[in-house]
Amino acid sequence: MARPATPPILSELRSSTSPATQVAALRALKHEIIGHEQKKRLWVGRGVLVPIARILNTSKGNGKRRDVSDKATTHRCRPPFVRTEEEEARLQAVVIVGSLAHGGPSYIPPIRAGAVIAPILSLLSTTESSVNTVLAALRTLNTVADAAALSPLEANSRDTALFHSLFTDETLTSIARLLSQDPNSQYGQQQISLAAALIGKTCRDGNQRTLLVQAGVLEALASNLAAFVDISDLAASSSDVPCASLGLPRIASSSTQSQMAPVLAAIGAIIDTSRSRALHLLSSPALTAVLLRLEADLTVPQERKASMRGHSGSVPIGTRPSSSRLECLLPQIPSFAPKGTMHETSGHPPFGGISTPTRQPYTARALQHTHEIVHGPAIGPPHGEESPLVAWLMYLARVSSGLTRLLAAWIVSLLHDSGLVDKRRDLSFAMLLVPLLVRLLERGSMSAADDHSVHGANPIQPVNLTSQQQAPSVLATLLIDSIDSQRAAVDAGAIKKLVQLLKETYNPIPEDANPSPWAAEHRIGDEPDGSHDNLFVGDSVNISSACEVAKVREAVLNALASLASIRDEHRKSIIENGVVPFVVESLKPFHKFPTGSPGDGKVGVAPQNSSQAQNSSGVILAACGATRSLSRSVTTLRTSLMDAGVAAPLFVLLKHHDSNVQVAATSVISNLVLEFSPMREAILEAGVLKTLCDHARSMDPSLRLSSVWALKHLILSAPKQLKRDCLGELGPGWLKQIICHDVDDLISASASRSDRESTLGAPLAMGTPNAAGEQVDLLNATDGSREGFGVVNENEEVDSEMVDSIGVPSRPQLEAELWNQLQSAQGASGRRDVGTTNQSRADGLAVQKEGLDFIRNLICGNDSREMIDCLFEELGQDKVFEILTSKLRPRLTNAFNRDRRSLDYNIRQTPPQTDIVTSVCYIVVHLAAGLPRHRQLLIAQTELLKLLLAHFAHPSHEVRSACAWIVINLTWMDDQSDHSSCKERAQELNKMGWVGQLKVLELDPELDVRERVKTALHQIQCALR
């Protein structure tokens, strides 16, 4: 059969005779494919993206780029209608790519293979582009980003590489210039909105967010937000009598809100999960100056001034988190003082910490301390006050509508999650924001302009911020650990609405929701082997609808997890609404209800290539969170979760390819293996012990932590043989490693090494002392022998006994892994990411604590005496006491994490962590509860007892109570034959000063401590007789 002839348009694009004919061919192609799905597929199958990519990569002129330090802040492009034929060709090519992207996610693979994104991004990086070209490029990039967000779930990670070229210095500098131009110009606001929308859609990880901050994008967005604050405030219209009388800001117009939404979305995408970036936003000079002027111009009524001071006569008024005058924009929230307080009669403000209006406003102080906040060690807002931006955003969320309301609440929730919102805001959130967010859960709560799909006509609005997708996520953030907000959400009907949304995600998607175009024959490029990615258009299934459903399902499950995190009555209400079968189905990578729902009896197995049937990793993680929250109830464990068969899908997830899913599933298992769980025996019979032990030896710190946590719960009150099996499966070497492994030495060594490498080759003449003051030659250390960086005592053996035959990672492997994690925390500029370092330290301490708690539970229970002997046999008697002693010693650290030449230079003592001290104390309590010979061994540990003596004055009452328990158990007498030994132990404790410390604790403010001390003193007196 003869090969079909090449169309004239394609021939002209491949080898054009002149720029004019090329432009004519591009225009003809554009007119042919716009709005025509079949012709789009036809032209992509013919390989039209290859010549289009070549046209986009043609020379863009010899215009000179402006220097980054140019004082002009506008991105000056040539006039919109002055274009050369080459630029006209590039403009038409950009429009064609945008038209293809409007076809949806099935066109993302050929667009990715065609390599057209990078040349389109380069159009933003040159001053030779006209305004229309820049606008067209921004619109096309937004359309591609929308389509990529709805790509098939299994390919979504590959599509993130589409915009890799966006996060380069050159492109980000151009984006920052676009955002910094005058918004009042003819095309300025359009470019600002499109550029901000692009950032909000493509910024997904911490490295990208850091690059955006370094390029000045966050600062430019803050300036644009300040402009919106400025134009929407103060000069209230005369018809708005209440606002005019108070001087309050009037509600921004709908057009202003639509322009503000992409800026808010971009800001939220950048500051997400980072306290330092949130502080960078709050300390923006432009934003601070506008808020300062707004506070100065705001007229506060006389009756509101008293409430801002925190009191009004003798009536208790809600406490104000800050002295900002913007507080009067929000309704007064009454405070419910607890019984027995003097708030009802006192003329002083409640909580005793309310500022007066005579103090210097927060914004003025923030403006003075901008540099310190951004570049110094940020520990909170200046002087402990929250920014007035919080009050303004809450006001904006209340007076605006649709997407702007949702985004304003989202940024408030991000600031709250970063700890930059006063804790006294919880009641305000519960009464002012939570009901609004619950209302957004209703279908039709947002206008058609706001709630749209990827095929909508507005490329500015982010496709991933529709009401039913984002409102549950924002609600989940505000509900975490807040009883007031959770109660308010339940009162507003959040449970019924969330459960209904979750059930709707399992409704069958209508077959005509996204119909496939009819084709009479096999389409060119439909090869399933992927050998022609630039020709292949994805299968015409309901990809967009399936991905949107998955995002809604994930958001709803996260909200339900937050609602069920604290109170049992909330869990009961959620279960009574029939949510458990849907949660269990969400735990499965491929659910079974494409043609029905879990409650209607129409069950059929979905094909595994169906996008509708696939639960993404995000959905599975959210389902694990919801299951974990629901499993905190004993009643739930014994009835609903057990009947729904929640254990079976969790076993599968323990071996999931995504390590984050493994961590989440292991966290749920931690609740299912508790002593009172009826599923404990079934889980053990399924072989969960070996799986958890394998995960406990993982190099992933999160998986290692969750596995040790689950094992700790598993052996609590377990039979003696199960405890022995668990300890034998793990191996004694593993237990030593996770407890003795200390991340702080690696952090200090990493900092020292970085400093030496940046000293232009300056050699060190001597070794560097480690945390114990020993001289260590770090210059000659190799990557495979960094065990000297850990806290290892002089007599500690590191031999083959610490590595068993089933794959326990050795100390050098653990050290090398952690070293790589610390090195990966260094940015392109060579500066360490403090947040990553702190996370590594927190992970290391958490694993140590769980390892100690594992020992604590191992030697607890009816067979504790036999398990103490087992522990001594496996780890070594001296080694056990050595580990406990080392965990109570204060650490010697350098104040600046610099190279330490001597112990006298900026060295300070850091006390051990409270959690570590608590675990060690209770291990000693259980050791003292063993046989008399165990007590005799313990009383002989002089250094350990002296270190414990120092913790009688510990701030934690739990530690003080544990110290008293140690005395009680040490002075316990099993029978008369133990009388002499008991007397010797009491005398030894008295000699070391324990009795004196106990007498001090007789006046302890905690009743539990006083009762334990009373018993301890009585037993000592009886033993000394």
Side-chain angles (χ1 to χ4, degrees):
M1 184 176 183
R3 187 177 182 89
T6 302
I9 294 178
L10 187 58
S11 300
E12 186 62 37
L13 293 180
R14 289 174 175 173
S15 56
S16 60
T17 57
S18 66
T21 57
Q22 187 179 65
V23 170
L26 289 168
R27 284 176 175 167
L29 176 62
K30 177 186 70 174
H31 294 155
E32 188 170 350
I33 67 173
I34 287 180
H36 203 300
E37 178 70 17
Q38 285 181 301
K39 290 188 176 180
K40 287 180 182 180
R41 289 178 172 270
L42 178 65
W43 281 104
V44 170
R46 289 171 174 171
V48 74
L49 285 171
V50 175
I52 286 179
R54 190 188 71 251
I55 294 172
L56 290 171
N57 280 297
T58 55
S59 174
K60 302 171 183 60
N62 299 319
K64 185 184 296 184
R65 293 193 180 99
R66 294 178 300 164
D67 191 83
V68 175
S69 60
D70 191 353
K71 295 182 180 179
T73 59
T74 58
H75 184 82
R76 295 173 184 170
C77 302
R78 291 189 289 104
F81 302 108
V82 179
R83 292 190 296 271
T84 63
E85 290 183 341
E86 289 80 2
E87 184 178 3
E88 181 66 26
R90 291 192 294 272
L91 174 60
Q92 298 300 324
V94 168
V95 175
I96 290 172
V97 174
S99 176
L100 294 176
H102 269 290
S106 58
Y107 287 87
I108 291 300
I111 288 177
R112 180 180 60 246
V116 295
I117 298 300
I120 294 177
L121 286 169
S122 66
L123 296 177
L124 309 177
S125 305
T126 173
T127 54
E128 293 297 318
S129 297
S130 65
V131 172
N132 284 346
T133 303
V134 173
L135 286 173
L138 288 172
R139 290 192 181 99
T140 295
L141 292 170
N142 275 276
T143 305
V144 173
D146 288 339
L150 297 178
S151 294
L153 300 176
E154 68 274 5
N156 192 264
S157 58
R158 290 185 300 165
D159 293 334
T160 58
L162 272 173
F163 293 93
H164 178 74
S165 302
L166 172 61
F167 298 95
T168 59
D169 292 340
E170 183 180 8
T171 306
L172 290 181
T173 300
S174 299
I175 293 289
R177 288 176 180 171
L178 288 172
L179 293 171
S180 301
Q181 61 185 316
D182 183 10
N184 296 320
S185 61
Q186 183 179 3
Y187 298 98
Q189 187 56 57
Q190 295 182 48
Q191 293 182 354
I192 290 173
S193 298
L194 288 167
L198 182 62
I199 294 298
K201 297 171 185 178
T202 57
C203 181
R204 298 188 180 184
D205 58 52
N207 292 332
Q208 294 174 349
R209 298 181 179 109
T210 301
L211 292 173
L212 289 168
V213 174
Q214 293 174 353
V217 173
L218 180 58
E219 190 66 39
L221 290 169
S223 299
N224 279 278
L225 181 60
F228 286 120
V229 175
D230 199 23
I231 64 175
S232 64
D233 63 18
L234 298 179
S237 60
S238 57
S239 60
D240 192 356
V241 179
C243 288
S245 62
L246 300 179
L248 302 183
R250 65 175 183 270
I251 301 175
S253 63
S254 58
S255 60
T256 303
Q257 291 186 35
S258 64
Q259 296 168 358
M260 194 186 309
V263 174
L264 293 172
I267 290 175
I270 295 175
I271 69 173
D272 192 12
T273 68
S274 173
R275 179 183 175 88
S276 61
R277 290 192 291 269
L279 281 170
H280 195 128
L281 169 70
L282 297 181
S283 59
S284 168
L287 192 57
T288 303
V290 169
L291 291 172
L292 177 62
R293 181 165 57 83
L294 179 59
E295 284 188 318
D297 295 341
L298 198 61
T299 302
V300 182
Q302 188 66 30
E303 59 270 16
R304 295 296 299 272
K305 291 183 179 179
S307 66
M308 294 181 63
R309 290 193 296 269
H311 67 96
S312 177
S314 60
V315 180
I317 301 296
T319 59
R320 290 291 178 181
S322 72
S323 59
S324 171
R325 295 161 66 96
L326 292 176
E327 288 297 323
C328 68
L329 299 177
L330 303 174
Q332 295 184 10
I333 304 299
S335 63
F336 303 98
K339 294 181 179 180
T341 61
M342 299 300 295
H343 294 167
E344 290 82 4
T345 57
S346 173
H348 298 283
F351 295 101
I354 305 305
S355 309
T356 61
T358 57
R359 292 185 58 188
Q360 187 181 14
Y362 169 91
T363 44
R365 295 194 303 274
L367 193 58
Q368 298 170 5
H369 298 284
T370 296
H371 181 79
E372 288 80 0
I373 294 174
V374 177
H375 302 287
I379 58 175
H383 298 272
E385 275 191 46
E386 73 174 25
S387 168
L389 179 64
V390 175
W392 185 83
L393 287 171
M394 291 183 65
Y395 171 76
L396 178 64
R398 286 178 52 78
V399 300
S400 59
S401 60
L403 192 59
T404 304
R405 164 179 289 178
L406 183 60
L407 292 171
W410 181 40
I411 295 181
V412 171
S413 69
L414 294 178
L415 296 176
H416 176 264
D417 196 40
S418 299
L420 299 176
V421 177
D422 196 292
K423 293 183 178 179
R424 292 171 290 180
R425 284 275 187 205
D426 286 348
L427 191 58
S428 298
F429 289 159
M431 301 186 72
L432 301 181
L433 287 185
V434 171
L436 296 178
L437 292 172
V438 173
R439 194 181 308 165
L440 289 176
L441 298 175
E442 301 174 359
R443 187 177 300 277
S445 59
M446 299 176 67
S447 62
D450 289 325
D451 203 357
H452 58 280
S453 67
V454 68
H455 305 288
N458 189 354
I460 295 178
Q461 304 294 354
V463 69
N464 59 335
L465 290 179
T466 57
S467 62
Q468 294 185 348
Q469 294 175 14
Q470 191 70 3
S473 299
V474 179
L475 187 63
T477 304
L478 290 178
L479 296 182
I480 295 176
D481 297 330
S482 176
I483 297 179
D484 291 332
S485 296
Q486 292 178 13
R487 186 184 297 113
V490 172
D491 293 342
I495 291 179
K496 291 184 178 180
K497 295 177 181 178
L498 289 171
V499 172
Q500 182 61 31
L501 281 176
L502 180 60
K503 292 179 179 180
E504 288 178 358
T505 62
Y506 281 96
N507 291 339
I509 299 177
E511 295 182 0
D512 57 348
N514 190 14
S516 312
W518 178 85
E521 58 184 9
H522 178 73
R523 291 188 294 269
I524 300 175
D526 279 359
E527 293 81 357
D529 59 358
S531 58
H532 300 80
D533 286 341
N534 60 327
L535 305 179
F536 178 65
V537 178
D539 203 4
S540 296
V541 296
N542 301 324
I543 296 176
S544 304
S545 300
C547 293
E548 288 177 342
V549 164
K551 291 180 179 180
V552 173
R553 188 178 300 160
E554 177 184 351
V556 170
L557 288 169
N558 283 326
L560 289 173
S562 297
L563 266 176
S565 61
I566 299 178
R567 303 187 70 89
D568 238 4
E569 54 265 32
H570 295 169
R571 301 185 189 107
K572 182 179 179 181
S573 178
I574 291 174
I575 293 172
E576 289 176 349
N577 279 271
V579 76
V580 174
F582 297 91
V583 174
V584 173
E585 288 303 318
S586 300
L587 291 171
K588 303 174 183 178
F590 296 93
H591 64 73
K592 298 181 180 180
F593 302 101
T595 59
S597 63
D600 61 7
K602 299 178 181 179
V603 179
V605 178
Q608 294 205 356
N609 60 355
S610 170
S611 298
Q612 178 186 354
Q614 183 175 358
N615 285 321
S616 65
S617 295
V619 172
I620 297 174
L621 290 173
C624 287
T627 307
R628 186 182 183 187
S629 295
L630 293 174
S631 64
R632 290 173 179 171
S633 169
V634 180
T635 306
T636 304
L637 273 176
R638 292 180 175 175
T639 55
S640 302
L641 293 181
M642 184 176 181
D643 296 340
V646 70
L650 288 173
F651 294 151
V652 178
L653 296 181
L654 287 176
K655 298 181 180 180
H656 197 272
H657 61 85
D658 189 343
S659 61
N660 292 325
V661 174
Q662 293 180 4
V663 172
T666 306
S667 299
V668 182
I669 292 292
S670 299
N671 288 352
L672 302 183
V673 296
L674 288 168
E675 179 185 7
F676 56 79
S677 173
M679 289 179 276
R680 183 175 187 173
E681 294 300 327
I683 291 175
L684 286 172
E685 292 176 0
V688 73
L689 176 60
K690 188 179 187 307
T691 303
L692 292 178
C693 291
D694 291 341
H695 287 176
R697 295 187 290 267
S698 171
M699 302 304 292
D700 185 347
S702 298
L703 183 57
R704 188 163 61 244
L705 172 61
S706 60
S707 300
V708 178
W709 201 318
L711 290 171
K712 175 190 73 173
H713 286 179
L714 180 63
I715 64 173
L716 179 62
S717 301
K720 177 176 59 178
Q721 187 58 44
L722 177 60
K723 293 182 177 181
R724 288 181 176 273
D725 293 343
C726 185
L727 186 58
E729 184 73 26
L730 291 171
W734 167 87
L735 201 55
K736 295 178 185 178
Q737 288 176 12
I738 66 166
I739 296 176
C740 298
H741 184 69
D742 202 328
V743 69
D744 284 334
D745 287 312
L746 273 180
I747 294 173
S748 300
S750 177
S752 300
R753 179 172 178 174
S754 299
D755 292 341
R756 287 194 299 272
E757 290 177 350
S758 62
T759 317
L760 300 178
L764 292 179
M766 58 188 299
T768 303
N770 63 7
E774 303 166 339
Q775 295 296 324
V776 180
D777 186 7
L778 297 181
L779 293 177
N780 298 323
T782 61
D783 290 343
S785 60
R786 291 196 179 97
E787 57 269 21
F789 296 159
V791 177
V792 184
N793 294 319
E794 295 178 357
N795 59 349
E796 179 178 357
E797 71 282 357
V798 182
D799 53 20
S800 59
E801 293 180 359
M802 298 184 65
V803 183
D804 57 26
S805 60
I806 54 177
V808 177
S810 63
R811 176 178 292 276
Q813 288 176 318
L814 287 174
E815 300 287 0
E817 174 66 18
L818 186 53
W819 178 273
N820 293 333
Q821 292 175 10
L822 294 176
Q823 292 299 312
S824 65
Q826 299 180 359
S829 61
R831 293 175 299 180
R832 291 191 304 144
D833 186 349
V834 178
T836 305
T837 302
N838 291 338
Q839 185 62 43
S840 299
R841 180 184 290 110
D843 290 340
L845 290 173
V847 172
Q848 289 182 42
K849 177 189 179 300
E850 297 308 319
L852 291 170
D853 286 344
F854 178 86
I855 296 178
R856 173 182 171 181
N857 290 352
L858 187 71
I859 59 176
C860 175
N862 297 329
D863 52 2
S864 61
R865 298 180 176 184
E866 297 181 21
M867 293 311 302
I868 291 175
D869 290 333
C870 178
L871 180 67
F872 285 163
E873 292 173 4
E874 294 288 342
L875 270 68
Q877 176 179 297
D878 295 336
K879 186 62 180 179
V880 171
F881 290 117
E882 181 183 329
I883 290 174
L884 298 178
T885 303
S886 65
K887 293 304 165 185
L888 294 178
R889 291 193 189 105
R891 289 185 51 83
L892 297 177
T893 58
N894 184 281
F896 302 101
N897 257 347
R898 298 303 184 194
D899 194 4
R900 293 173 287 187
R901 302 296 182 123
S902 70
L903 292 177
D904 300 326
Y905 180 72
N906 290 325
I907 297 297
R908 63 184 180 185
Q909 285 191 349
T910 303
Q913 296 288 329
T914 299
D915 291 339
I916 300 294
V917 174
T918 303
S919 299
V920 171
C921 286
Y922 278 104
I923 291 176
V924 177
V925 168
H926 294 325
L927 291 175
L931 295 170
R933 57 185 174 86
H934 296 149
R935 290 191 281 273
Q936 290 300 117
L937 286 173
L938 183 57
I939 201 65
Q941 308 301 320
T942 306
E943 184 182 4
L944 175 61
L945 294 177
K946 287 182 178 179
L947 290 172
L948 286 170
L949 183 63
H951 293 288
F952 270 82
H954 198 280
S956 172
H957 69 89
E958 189 175 4
V959 173
R960 301 195 302 271
S961 178
C963 290
W965 269 114
I966 293 174
V967 178
I968 294 173
N969 288 351
L970 280 176
T971 56
W972 179 260
M973 184 170 56
D974 284 346
D975 50 39
Q976 194 62 30
S977 63
D978 190 34
H979 179 269
S980 59
S981 299
C982 182
K983 184 175 181 179
E984 292 176 1
R985 294 193 297 269
Q987 290 174 346
E988 186 66 24
L989 290 174
N990 188 24
K991 185 189 304 182
M992 284 188 290
W994 282 58
V995 176
Q997 291 293 334
L998 286 172
K999 291 181 179 179
V1000 174
L1001 290 182
E1002 286 183 305
L1003 302 177
D1004 194 274
E1006 291 291 334
L1007 176 62
D1008 179 65
V1009 177
R1010 295 198 302 269
E1011 292 297 321
R1012 303 289 81 74
V1013 168
K1014 185 187 302 183
T1015 304
L1017 288 174
H1018 173 71
Q1019 289 191 189
I1020 289 180
Q1021 292 173 2
C1022 294
L1024 292 176
R1025 290 175 184 172

